């Protein structure tokens, strides 16, 4: 059996999420997106068998190949990687949620590339809350303009915000990034935007993200072990 410990790992992850939610004073549902990048279709099947209903990919071609191989499987596909504009035509309409919209041009391309007759593409806006120049995401000061622009695109549905903290074991650094994203969501909601989702936290730092109010955590290594690439 491939990934024989996955049911136990998923159960333990849910227990840890519940404990950190209680510590943070939250009670809303937290969704686990199992990150299956560089693992084969068998990882997706194992995740679904273990009770996971959403998987995340960060490479378009890899995601599309898996979707084709797993057409019989009921699971939500999320795109969590940085999306280049020339790949927008492959992403639009093929994912339940795109986590990484970070500029107006990309948003317009996704809107324009949506297949006729499909419901609006659900998206999150990625925000650079770590201050790292190479990190993807719109700068916090520029977020309001981007949110307004997306709100005006008829074939996109704005659902929330996403960020990645700096790669650090210092919980204060993690908490600063995740607390900032929560504050940005509150400010955006005050301006009338529907931004209920907070996608933040990965295998190494999801406890702090959950304590800061995450509604989605993106977990791969903790469930599947190290990746090949």
């Amino acid at each position: 059996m491939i990934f024989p410990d996955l049911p136990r790992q998923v159960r333990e992850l849910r227990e840890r999420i519940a404990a950190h939610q209680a510590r943070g004073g939250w009670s809303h549902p937290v969704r686990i997106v199992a990150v299956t990048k560089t693992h084969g279709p068998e990882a997706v099947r194992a995740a679904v068998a273990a009770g996971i209903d959403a998987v995340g990919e960060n490479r378009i071609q890899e995601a599309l190949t898996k979707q084709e191989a797993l057409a019989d499987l009921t699971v939500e596909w999320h795109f969590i990687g940085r999306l280049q504009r020339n790949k927008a035509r492959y992403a639009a309409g093929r994912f339940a949620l795109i986590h990484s919209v970070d500029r107006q041009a990309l948003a317009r391309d996704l809107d324009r590339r949506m297949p006729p007759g499909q419901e609006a593409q659900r998206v999150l806006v990625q925000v650079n809350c770590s201050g790292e120049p190479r990190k993807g995401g719109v700068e916090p000061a520029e977020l309001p303009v981007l949110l307004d622009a997306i709100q005006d695109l008829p074939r996109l549905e704005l659902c929330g915000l996403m960020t990645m903290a700096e790669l650090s074991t210092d919980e204060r650094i993690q908490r600063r990034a995740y607390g900032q994203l929560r504050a940005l969501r509150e400010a955006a909601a005050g301006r009338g935007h529907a931004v209920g989702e907070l996608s933040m936290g990965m295998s190494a730092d999801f406890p702090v993200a959950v304590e800061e109010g995450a509604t989605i955590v993106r977990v791969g290594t903790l469930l599947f072990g190290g990746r090949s690439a």
Side-chain angles (χ1 to χ4, degrees), residues 77-154:
W77 294 90
H78 291 219
F79 188 78
I80 62 174
R82 192 160 193 184
L83 185 58
Q84 298 174 344
R85 288 182 59 192
N86 63 357
K87 299 295 178 62
R89 66 185 184 275
Y90 301 116
R94 290 183 171 90
F95 295 90
L97 186 63
I98 295 176
H99 292 228
S100 50
V101 176
D102 61 0
R103 53 207 186 277
Q104 290 189 46
L106 174 59
R108 289 193 298 268
D109 283 346
L110 287 169
D111 179 77
R112 180 168 56 89
R113 294 290 189 173
M114 278 297 294
Q118 283 197 215
E119 295 182 359
Q121 173 67 65
R122 300 172 67 243
V123 301
L124 306 179
V125 170
Q126 182 175 352
V127 186
N128 185 349
C129 290
S130 70
E132 298 171 274
R134 294 187 179 181
K135 190 86 77 179
V138 64
E139 293 301 316
E142 299 169 4
L143 176 62
V145 173
L146 179 54
L147 293 178
D148 289 344
I150 292 175
Q151 200 73 49
D152 289 338
L153 295 173

Side-chain angles (χ1 to χ4, degrees), residues 24-123:
W26 305 100
S27 60
H28 57 259
V30 176
R31 192 161 197 200
I32 298 169
V33 173
V35 180
T36 53
K37 64 180 184 180
T38 78
H39 295 289
E42 66 277 3
V44 181
R45 290 195 183 276
V48 172
I52 294 291
D53 62 1
V55 296
E57 293 286 335
N58 74 336
R59 297 171 182 168
I60 287 291
Q61 191 54 55
E62 182 179 353
L64 298 183
T65 299
K66 287 180 185 174
Q67 286 178 0
E68 183 177 356
L70 298 167
D72 63 308
L73 197 65
T74 300
V75 66
E76 276 195 9
W77 294 90
H78 291 219
F79 188 78
I80 62 174
R82 192 160 193 184
L83 185 58
Q84 298 174 344
R85 288 182 59 192
N86 63 357
K87 299 295 178 62
R89 66 185 184 275
Y90 301 116
R94 290 183 171 90
F95 295 90
L97 186 63
I98 295 176
H99 292 228
S100 50
V101 176
D102 61 0
R103 53 207 186 277
Q104 290 189 46
L106 174 59
R108 289 193 298 268
D109 283 346
L110 287 169
D111 179 77
R112 180 168 56 89
R113 294 290 189 173
M114 278 297 294
Q118 283 197 215
E119 295 182 359
Q121 173 67 65
R122 300 172 67 243
V123 301

